[in-house]
Coordinates of all heavy atoms in Angstrom, one line a residue:
M215 N 54.2 148.7 98.8 CA 52.8 148.2 98.9 C 52.3 147.8 97.5 O 52.7 148.4 96.5 CB 51.9 149.3 99.5 CG 52.2 149.7 100.9 SD 51.9 148.4 102.0 CE 50.1 148.3 102.1
T216 N 51.4 146.9 97.5 CA 50.9 146.5 96.2 C 49.4 146.8 96.2 O 48.7 146.7 97.3 CB 51.1 145.0 96.0 OG1 50.6 144.2 97.0 CG2 52.6 144.7 95.8
N217 N 48.9 147.1 95.1 CA 47.4 147.3 94.9 C 46.8 146.1 94.2 O 47.5 145.2 93.7 CB 47.2 148.5 94.1 CG 47.6 149.8 94.9 OD1 47.4 149.8 96.1 ND2 48.1 150.8 94.2
G218 N 45.5 146.0 94.3 CA 44.8 145.0 93.5 C 44.7 143.7 94.3 O 44.4 143.7 95.5
E219 N 44.9 142.6 93.6 CA 44.7 141.3 94.2 C 45.6 141.1 95.4 O 46.7 141.3 95.3 CB 44.9 140.2 93.1 CG 43.9 140.2 92.0 CD 42.5 139.9 92.6 OE1 42.3 139.0 93.3 OE2 41.6 140.7 92.2
S220 N 45.0 140.6 96.4 CA 45.7 140.3 97.6 C 45.9 138.8 97.8 O 45.0 138.0 97.4 CB 45.0 140.8 98.8 OG 45.6 140.4 100.0
M221 N 47.0 138.4 98.3 CA 47.2 137.0 98.6 C 46.5 136.6 99.9 O 46.5 135.4 100.3 CB 48.7 136.7 98.8 CG 49.5 137.0 97.6 SD 49.4 135.7 96.3 CE 50.3 134.4 97.2
I222 N 46.0 137.6 100.7 CA 45.5 137.3 102.0 C 44.1 136.7 101.9 O 43.3 137.2 101.1 CB 45.5 138.6 102.8 CG1 46.9 139.2 102.9 CG2 45.0 138.3 104.2 CD1 46.9 140.6 103.5
A223 N 43.8 135.7 102.6 CA 42.5 135.0 102.5 C 41.4 135.9 103.1 O 41.7 136.8 103.9 CB 42.6 133.7 103.3
P224 N 40.2 135.7 102.6 CA 39.1 136.5 103.2 C 39.0 136.2 104.7 O 39.4 135.2 105.2 CB 37.9 135.9 102.5 CG 38.4 135.3 101.2 CD 39.8 134.8 101.6
C225 N 38.3 137.2 105.4 CA 38.1 137.1 106.8 C 37.3 135.9 107.2 O 36.3 135.6 106.6 CB 37.4 138.4 107.3 SG 37.0 138.4 109.0
P226 N 37.8 135.1 108.2 CA 37.0 133.9 108.5 C 35.8 134.2 109.3 O 34.9 133.4 109.5 CB 38.0 133.1 109.4 CG 39.0 134.1 109.9 CD 39.1 135.2 108.9
F227 N 35.7 135.4 109.8 CA 34.5 135.8 110.6 C 33.4 136.4 109.8 O 32.2 136.1 110.0 CB 34.9 136.8 111.7 CG 35.8 136.1 112.7 CD1 37.2 136.2 112.6 CD2 35.3 135.4 113.8 CE1 38.1 135.6 113.5 CE2 36.2 134.7 114.7 CZ 37.6 134.9 114.5
C228 N 33.8 137.4 108.9 CA 32.7 138.1 108.2 C 32.8 137.8 106.7 O 32.1 138.4 105.9 CB 32.8 139.6 108.5 SG 34.2 140.4 107.7
A229 N 33.8 137.0 106.3 CA 34.1 136.7 104.9 C 34.5 137.9 104.1 O 34.5 137.9 102.8 CB 32.9 136.0 104.2
G230 N 34.8 139.0 104.7 CA 35.2 140.2 104.1 C 36.6 140.0 103.4 O 37.4 139.3 103.8
V231 N 36.7 140.7 102.3 CA 38.0 140.5 101.5 C 38.9 141.8 101.7 O 40.0 141.8 101.1 CB 37.7 140.3 100.0 CG1 37.0 139.0 99.8 CG2 36.9 141.5 99.4
R232 N 38.4 142.7 102.5 CA 39.2 143.9 102.8 C 40.2 143.6 103.9 O 40.2 144.2 105.0 CB 38.4 145.1 103.0 CG 37.5 145.4 101.9 CD 36.9 146.8 102.0 NE 36.3 147.1 103.2 CZ 36.3 148.3 103.9 NH1 37.0 149.3 103.4 NH2 35.7 148.4 105.0
T233 N 41.0 142.6 103.7 CA 42.0 142.2 104.7 C 43.4 142.7 104.2 O 43.7 142.7 103.1 CB 42.1 140.7 104.8 OG1 42.1 140.1 103.6 CG2 40.9 140.1 105.6
E234 N 44.1 143.2 105.2 CA 45.5 143.6 104.8 C 46.4 143.4 106.0 O 46.0 143.3 107.1 CB 45.4 145.1 104.4 CG 45.1 146.1 105.6 CD 45.2 147.5 105.1 OE1 45.3 147.8 103.9 OE2 45.3 148.4 106.0
V235 N 47.7 143.3 105.6 CA 48.7 143.1 106.6 C 49.2 144.5 107.1 O 49.5 145.4 106.3 CB 49.9 142.2 106.1 CG1 50.6 142.8 104.9 CG2 50.8 141.9 107.2
V236 N 49.3 144.7 108.4 CA 49.7 145.9 108.9 C 50.9 145.7 109.9 O 51.0 144.7 110.6 CB 48.6 146.7 109.6 CG1 47.5 147.1 108.6 CG2 48.0 145.8 110.7
E237 N 51.8 146.7 110.0 CA 52.8 146.7 111.0 C 52.3 147.3 112.2 O 52.0 148.5 112.2 CB 54.1 147.3 110.4 CG 55.3 147.1 111.3 CD 56.6 147.7 110.8 OE1 56.5 148.6 109.9 OE2 57.7 147.2 111.2
I238 N 52.2 146.6 113.3 CA 51.7 147.1 114.5 C 52.8 147.6 115.5 O 52.5 148.3 116.4 CB 50.8 146.1 115.3 CG1 51.6 144.9 115.6 CG2 49.6 145.8 114.4 CD1 50.8 144.0 116.6
D239 N 54.0 147.1 115.3 CA 55.1 147.6 116.1 C 56.4 147.3 115.2 O 56.3 146.6 114.2 CB 55.2 146.8 117.4 CG 55.9 147.5 118.5 OD1 56.7 148.5 118.1 OD2 55.8 147.1 119.6
V240 N 57.5 147.7 115.7 CA 58.7 147.4 114.9 C 58.9 145.9 114.7 O 59.1 145.2 115.7 CB 59.9 148.1 115.6 CG1 61.2 147.8 114.8 CG2 59.7 149.6 115.7
G241 N 58.8 145.5 113.5 CA 59.0 144.1 113.2 C 57.9 143.2 113.6 O 58.1 142.0 113.6
K242 N 56.8 143.7 113.9 CA 55.6 142.9 114.3 C 54.5 143.2 113.4 O 54.0 144.3 113.3 CB 55.2 143.3 115.8 CG 56.2 143.0 116.8 CD 56.5 141.6 117.0 CE 57.6 141.4 118.1 NZ 58.0 140.0 118.1
W243 N 54.0 142.2 112.7 CA 53.0 142.3 111.7 C 51.8 141.4 112.0 O 52.0 140.3 112.6 CB 53.6 141.9 110.3 CG 54.8 142.7 109.9 CD1 56.1 142.6 110.3 CD2 54.7 143.8 108.9 NE1 56.8 143.6 109.7 CE2 56.0 144.3 108.8 CE3 53.7 144.4 108.2 CZ2 56.4 145.4 108.0 CZ3 54.0 145.4 107.3 CH2 55.3 145.9 107.3
M244 N 50.7 141.9 111.5 CA 49.5 141.0 111.6 C 48.5 141.4 110.5 O 48.6 142.5 110.0 CB 48.8 141.2 113.0 CG 48.2 142.5 113.2 SD 47.4 142.6 114.8 CE 46.6 144.3 114.6
V245 N 47.6 140.5 110.2 CA 46.6 140.8 109.2 C 45.4 141.3 110.0 O 45.0 140.8 111.1 CB 46.2 139.5 108.4 CG1 45.0 139.8 107.5 CG2 47.4 139.1 107.6
E246 N 44.8 142.3 109.4 CA 43.6 142.9 110.0 C 42.4 142.9 108.9 O 42.7 143.2 107.8 CB 43.9 144.3 110.4 CG 42.7 145.0 111.1 CD 43.1 146.4 111.6 OE1 43.9 147.1 110.9 OE2 42.6 146.8 112.6
C247 N 41.2 142.7 109.4 CA 40.1 142.8 108.5 C 39.5 144.2 108.7 O 39.2 144.6 109.8 CB 39.0 141.7 108.9 SG 37.5 142.0 108.0
R248 N 39.4 144.9 107.6 CA 38.9 146.3 107.6 C 37.4 146.3 107.9 O 36.8 147.4 108.2 CB 39.1 147.0 106.3 CG 40.6 147.3 106.0 CD 41.0 148.4 107.0 NE 42.3 148.9 106.5 CZ 43.0 149.8 107.3 NH1 42.5 150.2 108.4 NH2 44.1 150.3 106.8
D249 N 36.7 145.2 107.7 CA 35.2 145.2 107.8 C 34.8 144.9 109.3 O 33.9 145.6 109.8 CB 34.6 144.1 106.9 CG 34.7 144.6 105.4 OD1 34.7 145.8 105.2 OD2 34.8 143.7 104.6
C250 N 35.5 144.0 110.0 CA 35.0 143.7 111.3 C 36.2 143.9 112.3 O 36.0 143.5 113.5 CB 34.5 142.3 111.4 SG 35.7 141.0 111.2
Q251 N 37.3 144.4 111.9 CA 38.4 144.6 112.8 C 39.0 143.4 113.5 O 39.7 143.5 114.5 CB 38.0 145.7 113.9 CG 38.1 147.1 113.3 CD 37.0 147.4 112.4 OE1 35.9 147.3 112.7 NE2 37.4 147.9 111.2
T252 N 38.7 142.2 112.9 CA 39.4 141.0 113.4 C 40.9 141.1 113.1 O 41.2 141.6 112.0 CB 38.8 139.8 112.7 OG1 37.5 139.6 113.1 CG2 39.6 138.5 113.0
T253 N 41.7 140.7 114.0 CA 43.1 140.7 113.8 C 43.6 139.3 113.8 O 43.1 138.4 114.6 CB 43.8 141.6 114.8 OG1 43.6 141.1 116.1 CG2 43.4 143.0 114.6
G254 N 44.7 139.0 113.1 CA 45.2 137.7 113.0 C 46.5 137.6 113.9 O 46.8 138.5 114.6
P255 N 47.1 136.4 113.9 CA 48.3 136.2 114.7 C 49.4 137.1 114.3 O 49.6 137.5 113.1 CB 48.7 134.7 114.3 CG 47.5 134.1 113.7 CD 46.7 135.2 113.0
I256 N 50.1 137.6 115.3 CA 51.3 138.5 115.1 C 52.5 137.6 114.7 O 52.8 136.6 115.4 CB 51.5 139.3 116.3 CG1 50.3 140.2 116.6 CG2 52.8 140.2 116.2 CD1 50.3 140.8 118.0
D257 N 53.2 138.1 113.7 CA 54.5 137.4 113.4 C 55.5 138.5 113.0 O 55.3 139.6 112.9 CB 54.3 136.3 112.4 CG 55.2 135.1 112.7 OD1 56.4 135.3 112.9 OD2 54.6 134.0 112.7
N258 N 56.7 138.0 112.6 CA 57.9 138.8 112.5 C 58.0 139.5 111.1 O 58.9 140.3 110.9 CB 59.1 138.1 112.8 CG 59.1 137.6 114.2 OD1 58.6 138.3 115.1 ND2 59.7 136.4 114.5
S259 N 57.2 139.0 110.1 CA 57.2 139.6 108.8 C 55.9 139.6 108.2 O 55.0 138.8 108.6 CB 58.2 138.8 107.9 OG 57.6 137.6 107.5
P260 N 55.6 140.5 107.2 CA 54.3 140.5 106.5 C 54.0 139.1 106.0 O 52.8 138.7 106.1 CB 54.5 141.5 105.4 CG 55.6 142.4 105.9 CD 56.5 141.5 106.7
G261 N 55.0 138.4 105.4 CA 54.7 137.2 104.8 C 54.2 136.1 105.8 O 53.3 135.3 105.5
L262 N 54.9 136.1 106.9 CA 54.6 135.1 108.0 C 53.2 135.4 108.6 O 52.4 134.5 108.8 CB 55.6 135.1 109.1 CG 57.0 134.5 108.7 CD1 58.0 134.7 109.8 CD2 56.8 133.0 108.5
A263 N 52.9 136.7 108.8 CA 51.6 137.1 109.3 C 50.5 136.7 108.3 O 49.5 136.2 108.8 CB 51.6 138.6 109.5
E264 N 50.7 136.8 107.0 CA 49.8 136.4 106.0 C 49.6 134.9 106.1 O 48.5 134.4 106.0 CB 50.2 136.8 104.6 CG 50.0 138.3 104.3 CD 50.4 138.6 102.9 OE1 50.3 137.7 102.0 OE2 50.8 139.7 102.6
E265 N 50.7 134.2 106.1 CA 50.6 132.7 106.2 C 49.8 132.3 107.3 O 49.0 131.3 107.2 CB 52.0 132.1 106.3 CG 52.6 131.6 105.0 CD 54.0 131.0 105.2 OE1 54.2 130.3 106.2 OE2 54.9 131.4 104.4
R266 N 50.0 132.9 108.5 CA 49.3 132.4 109.7 C 47.9 132.8 109.6 O 47.0 132.0 110.1 CB 50.0 133.0 110.9 CG 51.4 132.4 111.1 CD 52.1 132.8 112.3 NE 51.3 132.4 113.5 CZ 51.5 132.7 114.8 NH1 52.5 133.5 115.0 NH2 50.8 132.2 115.7
W267 N 47.5 133.9 109.0 CA 46.1 134.3 108.8 C 45.5 133.3 107.9 O 44.4 132.8 108.2 CB 46.1 135.7 108.2 CG 44.7 136.1 107.8 CD1 44.1 135.8 106.6 CD2 43.7 136.8 108.5 NE1 42.9 136.4 106.5 CE2 42.6 137.0 107.7 CE3 43.7 137.3 109.8 CZ2 41.4 137.6 108.1 CZ3 42.5 138.0 110.2 CH2 41.4 138.1 109.4
N268 N 46.1 133.0 106.8 CA 45.5 132.1 105.8 C 45.4 130.7 106.3 O 44.5 129.9 105.9 CB 46.4 132.1 104.5 CG 46.4 133.4 103.8 OD1 45.6 134.3 104.1 ND2 47.4 133.5 102.9
D269 N 46.2 130.3 107.3 CA 46.2 129.0 107.8 C 45.2 128.7 108.9 O 45.0 127.6 109.3 CB 47.6 128.7 108.4 CG 47.9 127.2 108.5 OD1 47.5 126.5 107.6 OD2 48.6 126.8 109.5
R270 N 44.6 129.8 109.4 CA 43.7 129.6 110.6 C 42.4 129.0 110.2 O 42.0 129.1 109.0 CB 43.4 131.0 111.3 CG 42.4 131.8 110.5 CD 42.5 133.3 110.8 NE 42.7 133.6 112.2 CZ 42.1 134.6 112.9 NH1 41.4 135.5 112.2 NH2 42.4 134.9 114.1
Q271 N 41.9 128.2 111.0 CA 40.6 127.6 110.8 C 39.7 127.8 111.9 O 40.1 127.9 113.1 CB 40.8 126.1 110.5 CG 41.6 125.8 109.3 CD 41.8 124.3 109.1 OE1 41.3 123.5 109.9 NE2 42.4 123.9 108.0
L272 N 38.4 127.7 111.6 CA 37.4 127.9 112.7 C 36.5 126.7 112.8 O 36.3 126.0 111.8 CB 36.5 129.1 112.3 CG 37.2 130.4 112.1 CD1 36.1 131.5 111.8 CD2 37.9 130.8 113.4
Y273 N 36.1 126.4 114.0 CA 35.1 125.4 114.2 C 33.8 125.8 113.4 O 33.3 126.9 113.7 CB 34.8 125.2 115.6 CG 35.9 124.6 116.4 CD1 36.6 125.4 117.3 CD2 36.2 123.2 116.3 CE1 37.7 124.9 118.0 CE2 37.2 122.7 117.1 CZ 38.0 123.5 117.9 OH 39.0 123.0 118.6
P274 N 33.3 125.0 112.6 CA 32.1 125.4 111.8 C 31.0 125.9 112.7 O 30.6 125.3 113.7 CB 31.7 124.1 111.1 CG 32.9 123.3 111.0 CD 33.7 123.7 112.3
G275 N 30.4 127.1 112.4 CA 29.3 127.6 113.0 C 29.5 128.3 114.4 O 28.6 128.8 114.9
T276 N 30.7 128.2 114.9 CA 30.9 128.7 116.2 C 31.7 130.0 116.2 O 31.7 130.8 117.1 CB 31.7 127.8 117.1 OG1 33.0 127.6 116.6 CG2 31.0 126.4 117.2
G277 N 32.5 130.2 115.1 CA 33.4 131.4 115.1 C 34.6 131.2 116.0 O 35.4 132.1 116.2
R278 N 34.7 130.1 116.7 CA 35.9 129.9 117.5 C 37.1 129.3 116.7 O 36.9 128.5 115.9 CB 35.6 128.9 118.7 CG 34.7 129.5 119.7 CD 34.6 128.6 120.9 NE 33.5 129.0 121.8 CZ 32.9 128.2 122.6 NH1 33.1 126.9 122.6 NH2 31.9 128.7 123.4
E279 N 38.2 129.9 117.0 CA 39.4 129.5 116.3 C 40.0 128.2 116.8 O 40.0 128.0 118.0 CB 40.5 130.6 116.4 CG 41.7 130.4 115.6 CD 42.6 131.6 115.5 OE1 42.2 132.6 116.1 OE2 43.6 131.5 114.8
I280 N 40.3 127.3 115.9 CA 41.0 126.1 116.3 C 42.5 126.4 116.5 O 43.1 126.9 115.5 CB 40.9 125.0 115.1 CG1 39.4 124.7 115.0 CG2 41.7 123.8 115.5 CD1 39.1 123.8 113.7
R281 N 43.0 126.2 117.6 CA 44.4 126.4 117.9 C 45.2 125.2 117.5 O 44.9 124.1 118.0 CB 44.6 126.8 119.4 CG 43.8 128.0 119.8 CD 44.7 129.1 120.4 NE 43.9 130.3 120.6 CZ 44.2 131.4 120.0 NH1 45.3 131.5 119.2 NH2 43.5 132.5 120.2
R282 N 46.1 125.5 116.7 CA 47.0 124.4 116.3 C 48.4 124.6 116.8 O 48.9 125.7 116.8 CB 47.0 124.3 114.8 CG 45.6 123.8 114.3 CD 45.7 123.3 112.9 NE 45.9 124.4 112.0 CZ 46.0 124.3 110.7 NH1 45.9 123.1 110.1 NH2 46.2 125.3 109.9
Y283 N 49.0 123.6 117.2 CA 50.3 123.7 117.8 C 51.3 122.9 116.9 O 51.0 121.9 116.3 CB 50.3 123.1 119.2 CG 49.4 123.9 120.1 CD1 48.1 123.5 120.3 CD2 49.8 125.0 120.8 CE1 47.2 124.2 121.1 CE2 49.0 125.8 121.6 CZ 47.7 125.3 121.7 OH 46.8 126.1 122.5
G284 N 52.5 123.3 117.0 CA 53.6 122.7 116.2 C 53.6 123.3 114.9 O 53.9 122.7 113.9
Ligands
LIG596 ZN1 36.0 140.4 109.0

């Protein structure tokens, strides 16, 4: 584990910076916001889970996630 600066983007819902990647099952990782308990996409490694969290976008003003394929 590392302390200090995180590579994980702030929460898209509450703008909280207390986001961290957690292992929710064996080999299953996701980013979670400690402030509003939002969780990000699940992936097979901490790095991928972070990437997918950082890559997510929301429709402005709605809080709805834009789903991107491919
Ligand atoms: Zn949040």
Side-chain angles (χ1 to χ4, degrees):
M215 295 295 288
T216 56
N217 291 323
E219 290 301 309
S220 172
M221 301 279 293
I222 305 172
C225 176
F227 295 94
C228 74
V231 296
R232 298 198 306 143
T233 48
E234 66 174 16
V235 63
V236 293
E237 187 175 26
I238 58 165
D239 202 346
V240 178
K242 300 291 181 189
W243 298 79
M244 70 179 184
V245 174
E246 180 178 36
C247 173
R248 289 290 194 187
D249 288 331
C250 71
Q251 277 72 53
T252 291
T253 57
I256 297 165
D257 218 311
N258 300 325
S259 78
L262 286 170
E264 283 185 29
E265 259 180 45
R266 294 187 62 189
W267 170 273
N268 293 348
D269 199 38
R270 78 200 320 213
Q271 294 183 359
L272 300 179
Y273 292 105
T276 66
R278 288 192 190 151
E279 188 167 0
I280 297 172
R281 300 235 172 242
R282 292 196 290 179
Y283 299 92

